Amino acid sequence: MKNNDVAQYVNQKKQIEHGEDFCGAACVSMLTGEDPQMIANILGSTADDTTLTDYLKRHGYAITKIVDGGSAGSHWAFMPDINAFQKMREAIFRDEVIIYHFAGWDHKSSGHYAICKGYADGKFIFNDPAGDRKKGYFNDEGENTLYTPEMLMKAGIKRLFSVKEV
């Protein structure tokens, strides 16, 4: 799977029943091309990293944790730095996509998954299943939305996984 080959965009609220808590399932659906509601029924709401990555591994994807940090005191979240952004760019340049687990420090979520699929002109290109984070969540503008490193630092991260089809 190349980063431009991410399956059709999935809007979690519109394409999954009671979808407010199904960002992980929406991301898996975007990666596999499977029906969003079916994936949501299998994975459940507020699925965690292990649930998402195990599902993808069982379905022919290689998953690599590229950034992990924080501490129990910070609920395993931290501010990304230049090294995290470099690892993201390296994965994208290898034609991988990234499951980005937001911490939610910007108060737009209390933890959220989105797909980072590209990088251009100093900005990361996301398919965010809840919409464009800059405009407040649950809007229709999450496909190919651009997030700056500064914005990502304010939001914080928990973990980043690179994904490629094997």
Side-chain angles (χ1 to χ4, degrees):
M1 169 183 57
K2 294 185 184 277
N3 44 20
N4 292 329
D5 293 338
V6 173
Q8 184 173 357
Y9 173 72
V10 173
N11 182 305
Q12 71 187 71
K13 190 168 180 183
K14 290 188 172 185
Q15 293 176 261
I16 299 173
E17 185 177 350
H18 308 293
E20 292 87 352
D21 295 327
F22 287 90
C23 55
C27 287
V28 168
S29 176
M30 282 190 267
L31 293 169
T32 65
E34 296 172 295
D35 177 70
Q37 187 63 58
M38 180 196 76
I39 297 295
N41 293 343
I42 292 169
L43 299 180
S45 66
T46 62
D48 62 17
D49 294 341
T50 302
T51 301
L52 302 179
T53 57
D54 284 353
Y55 182 91
L56 289 166
K57 288 175 188 175
R58 287 192 311 271
H59 289 84
Y61 293 84
I63 309 295
T64 303
K65 189 184 299 182
I66 59 173
V67 174
D68 190 9
S71 66
S74 68
H75 300 283
W76 301 105
F78 65 102
M79 181 181 294
D81 61 14
I82 192 160
N83 293 324
F85 296 132
Q86 181 60 33
K87 289 179 181 181
M88 290 174 65
R89 286 189 298 272
E90 288 169 2
I92 289 165
F93 295 145
R94 288 190 307 266
D95 286 325
E96 299 169 359
V97 296
I98 297 162
I99 298 174
Y100 196 104
H101 192 172
F102 285 92
W105 292 348
D106 57 359
H107 305 289
K108 301 202 188 283
S109 68
S110 59
H112 177 65
Y113 292 101
I115 300 295
C116 179
K117 63 181 196 169
Y119 181 80
D121 300 323
K123 297 176 183 153
F124 291 95
I125 304 165
F126 276 78
N127 273 3
D128 192 325
D132 187 339
R133 190 175 190 92
K134 298 182 302 291
K135 297 180 179 188
Y137 270 150
F138 302 121
N139 60 67
D140 293 330
E141 299 180 36
E143 185 173 18
N144 297 316
T145 190
L146 301 175
Y147 294 158
T148 65
E150 295 78 20
M151 190 216 96
L152 296 172
M153 286 190 296
K154 287 179 185 172
I157 59 173
K158 292 187 177 190
R159 276 160 296 286
L160 303 178
F161 300 90
S162 67
V163 180
K164 66 179 176 181
E165 209 165 6
V166 290

